[in-house]
Amino acid sequence: MSEWTAVGKVDDVVSKGWLQVNLNGTLIVAYHIEGKFYAVEDICTHDGAVLSGCPLEGDEIICPRHGARFSVKTGKVTAPPAWEDIHPFPVKVEKGNIFVKDDRWD
């Protein structure tokens, strides 16, 4: 069973809109959108590009290489050329800290 891991401060994500972190060897990116926090794998499933720092339109992150889009809220592909989703990670906030759980093998 996976455990919650502190990945950053709320203020760090809110000020920038996103924060890239290494969670047990996996790059993830946490986002602050409309008052809520989300975290997804930080890699495009189409060609391996890093997604952190890329433009957001609503809740969609746009890959800089070929324009694939993913929902930050669900990890679902919303536009090709990607066809495989990215993994969304559970997020919780406690006392100004953001925690993420790697639930991929639960």
Side-chain angles (χ1 to χ4, degrees), residues 29-99:
V29 57
Y31 290 97
H32 179 251
I33 300 173
E34 299 172 348
K36 294 186 179 181
F37 293 89
Y38 304 92
V40 293
E41 285 181 289
D42 192 10
I43 190 161
C44 177
T45 57
H46 170 247
D47 71 355
V50 172
L51 297 172
S52 55
C54 295
L56 283 178
E57 284 187 10
D59 75 332
E60 293 181 333
I61 189 163
I62 305 165
C63 180
R65 291 196 184 154
H66 302 109
R69 292 175 178 241
F70 303 89
S71 169
V72 169
K73 295 178 179 179
T74 66
K76 300 282 185 198
V77 173
T78 58
W83 56 272
E84 184 179 345
D85 300 337
I86 55 177
H87 187 78
F89 295 91
V91 177
K92 72 177 182 178
V93 176
E94 290 181 352
K95 298 180 182 178
N97 294 302
I98 298 170
F99 294 83

Side-chain angles (χ1 to χ4, degrees), residues 4-23:
W4 292 99
T5 303
V7 296
K9 300 280 186 191
V10 165
D11 291 342
D12 295 336
V13 179
V14 170
S15 66
K16 193 171 170 182
W18 61 274
L19 178 68
Q20 182 192 62
V21 295
N22 186 319
L23 181 66

